[in-house]
Amino acid sequence: MTALVIQNDPVAPLGLLARFLDSPCVLRAWEDPGAIARLVEQAGAGSPPFSSLVVLGGTADAHADAAWPWLPDLRALIAACAGAGVRVLGVCLGAQLAAVALGGRVDVGAPLGPECGVTRISWTGDALSHEDPLIRSLTRARVVFEDHGDAIGGAPRGSKLLAVSEKYPQAFLAGSVLGVQFHPEITEPIARRWQESNEDTDTERIIAGYRAHEAGLASTCEALAQWVARE
């Protein structure tokens, strides 16, 4: 079996993760919202048709069920995977959905304001001393790429907080679920598209930051893809 990628929004594709994941199956949720409900049933029966799950970002918030009617099923799918020990990587909105699904909290319109572009992060002792070498390898990253206005206000109870920025939690591990607030999948065309639609950011400054750290950002993406794909 292979990794299943849930794409929530046309503007938030697989990006750089496509380079590092071996032939993932991409489900575009808006094209068939009912597909995720069927996956919940299969996962609950112990027979999910995938070996790992990646949940990408998007422009809605983690509670926008009316606008994106598949979100309740997606939260249920994340919880079912967690219960079955199936690896889940949640990216930005995906991490926020995972936090809510597992009992954490997401702040919509987070009080300290958005994070956009290359952002410095710090890793906790739980990350630096983790027994999994792939988790420890993530701690080589000093910066990540951000684009979010909502934020994880509280990681799930019993999870391990792995990384923080000056403003918000940036990574948590809850059993088999790894949530990252940042965007490991970012590429320059995606970054440019996002910033050009945001009147509050300086596109060229953010692109210059991306270019200055492109190799390191790709290395973090590769490490996360290896975690997803590991048997």
Side-chain angles (χ1 to χ4, degrees):
M1 289 191 288
T2 189
L4 173 66
V5 177
I6 306 294
Q7 184 179 349
N8 288 297
D9 194 325
V11 304
L14 190 56
L16 191 62
L17 279 166
R19 180 192 302 177
F20 300 121
L21 291 175
D22 184 18
S23 302
C25 175
V26 179
L27 191 162
R28 296 172 179 84
W30 66 93
E31 294 179 350
D32 184 6
I36 297 177
R38 295 190 291 273
L39 290 170
V40 174
E41 292 180 4
Q42 291 172 304
S47 56
F50 51 85
S51 56
S52 55
L53 179 68
V54 178
V55 182
L56 297 175
T59 51
D61 67 67
H63 302 285
D65 299 356
W68 289 4
W70 61 88
L71 290 186
D73 291 327
L74 184 48
R75 293 192 296 267
L77 180 61
I78 293 169
C81 287
V86 175
R87 280 187 305 284
V88 179
L89 173 64
V91 173
C92 197
L93 171 61
Q96 295 167 9
L97 289 165
V100 172
L102 301 178
R105 189 183 85 249
V106 169
D107 296 330
V108 177
L112 298 179
E115 292 179 310
C116 294
V118 170
T119 302
R120 185 166 294 277
I121 62 170
S122 301
W123 297 91
T124 68
D126 280 337
L128 293 166
S129 63
H130 201 279
E131 61 184 12
D132 185 341
L134 285 177
I135 297 296
R136 291 200 309 275
S137 74
L138 294 172
T139 65
R140 293 194 294 264
R142 295 292 175 262
V143 298
V144 293
F145 191 95
E146 308 268 8
D147 195 299
H148 67 100
D150 306 334
I152 297 166
R157 182 176 298 177
S159 66
K160 293 183 177 180
L161 181 63
L162 301 181
V164 297
S165 67
E166 290 184 355
K167 292 183 176 181
Y168 304 116
Q170 293 295 321
F172 70 84
L173 185 66
S176 63
V177 179
L178 175 58
V180 297
Q181 181 61 77
F182 54 88
H183 284 278
E185 83 287 10
I186 196 70
T187 63
E188 183 171 333
I190 295 172
R192 184 173 292 279
R193 179 179 183 182
W194 290 351
Q195 302 317 309
E196 288 177 345
S197 65
N198 187 343
E199 296 179 353
D200 297 325
T201 58
D202 181 337
T203 297
E204 296 308 320
R205 180 186 65 80
I206 286 178
I207 294 301
Y210 168 82
R211 289 175 176 169
H213 296 280
E214 184 174 7
L217 297 174
S219 179
T220 300
C221 183
E222 183 174 15
L224 286 167
Q226 289 174 345
W227 182 86
V228 168
R230 184 174 54 196
E231 295 296 334

